[in-house]
Amino acid sequence: NIRDLEELVATFNSILKISELEANTEFRQFEPCDLRKILAGMVEFYEPYAADKNIHLQCELPEQAIINGEKNLLTQAFANLLDNALKFTPVRGVITIACKTLPDAVEVSIADSGAGIPKEYHDKVFEKFFRMEQSRHTKGNGLGLSMVAAVARIHDASIELADNNPGLVVTLRFRRLAH
């Protein structure tokens, strides 16, 4: 079946990309990136999908939030997080994308009102191919959060999962670029 083959190729490409990110630390061809612009673009892109699922997409963005980074990788990481949020947020749920600038950092958080992830799995979900029982019936290969973790690592960013009561909050904290 062609669809199965396409999924297999996509999985293989994801594995290659994660391996490349993990192995090649000299990869960093960073330039100033405004996370506000990246996130605003992501919200615009995902709004129709959210509307189709009757999910409210909220956005809280500052004037600008500049870090040193690789725009395409950051976009991929945020896309993976938003894909997950949309996948696990029920009808009439809420997803909040927030970005705030702190004196020395920029924090991006994506919060949903889905089932969340039990605390005992918070570290495991970043492992390649790990899927919780509740997500086994949904489309995916268990590589999305591994990719997010790899992108966070090469950007020297921290990543944290927290309970959103209900749902999950994923927060990435990047070093802020000095003006």
Side-chain angles (χ1 to χ4, degrees):
N1 170 329
I2 297 230
R3 176 167 276 140
D4 290 343
L5 190 56
E6 287 171 345
E7 285 180 25
L8 189 62
V9 168
T11 298
F12 185 67
N13 287 336
S14 292
I15 294 166
L16 285 175
K17 186 69 174 172
I18 293 168
S19 298
E20 177 188 341
L21 291 174
E22 289 174 339
N24 193 355
T25 53
E26 286 76 49
F27 169 78
R28 303 170 188 214
Q29 297 173 316
F30 289 171
E31 57 190 34
C33 290
D34 189 349
L35 294 183
R36 183 214 181 283
K37 282 185 180 168
I38 293 172
L39 292 167
M42 302 293 298
V43 169
E44 190 176 319
F45 179 79
Y46 278 95
E47 266 176 336
Y49 299 103
D52 282 349
K53 272 192 81 179
N54 199 5
I55 293 172
H56 180 62
L57 210 52
Q58 294 181 165
C59 199
E60 301 163 8
L61 302 176
E63 283 298 308
Q64 62 176 206
I66 300 179
I67 67 161
N68 232 354
E70 207 289 313
K71 184 182 175 197
N72 292 334
L73 291 177
L74 293 165
T75 300
Q76 180 66 58
F78 297 139
N80 288 357
L81 292 173
L82 280 167
D83 282 340
N84 280 352
L86 280 165
K87 193 186 305 183
F88 296 109
T89 298
V91 171
R92 287 187 294 285
V94 178
I95 297 172
T96 303
I97 296 109
C99 180
K100 64 181 176 188
T101 54
L102 305 168
D104 61 342
V106 174
E107 270 187 7
V108 174
S109 63
I110 297 177
D112 66 57
S113 58
I117 296 174
K119 195 156 187 59
E120 63 266 22
Y121 293 112
H122 282 194
D123 289 334
K124 289 193 108 17
V125 295
F126 295 109
E127 295 173 10
K128 286 185 205 79
F129 302 113
F130 180 81
R131 297 191 76 199
M132 288 182 29
E133 199 56 46
Q134 72 212 42
S135 63
R136 298 218 181 266
H137 64 280
T138 60
K139 194 172 179 293
N141 53 27
L143 292 170
L145 289 176
S146 299
M147 174 75 81
V148 172
V151 171
R153 268 193 304 280
I154 72 154
H155 284 86
D156 204 19
S158 65
I159 185 167
E160 180 184 299
L161 302 180
D163 195 346
N164 197 35
N165 297 313
L168 182 70
V169 182
V170 180
T171 302
L172 290 163
R173 180 176 236 186
F174 299 91
R175 193 172 303 126
R176 186 173 175 189
L177 199 57
H179 299 316

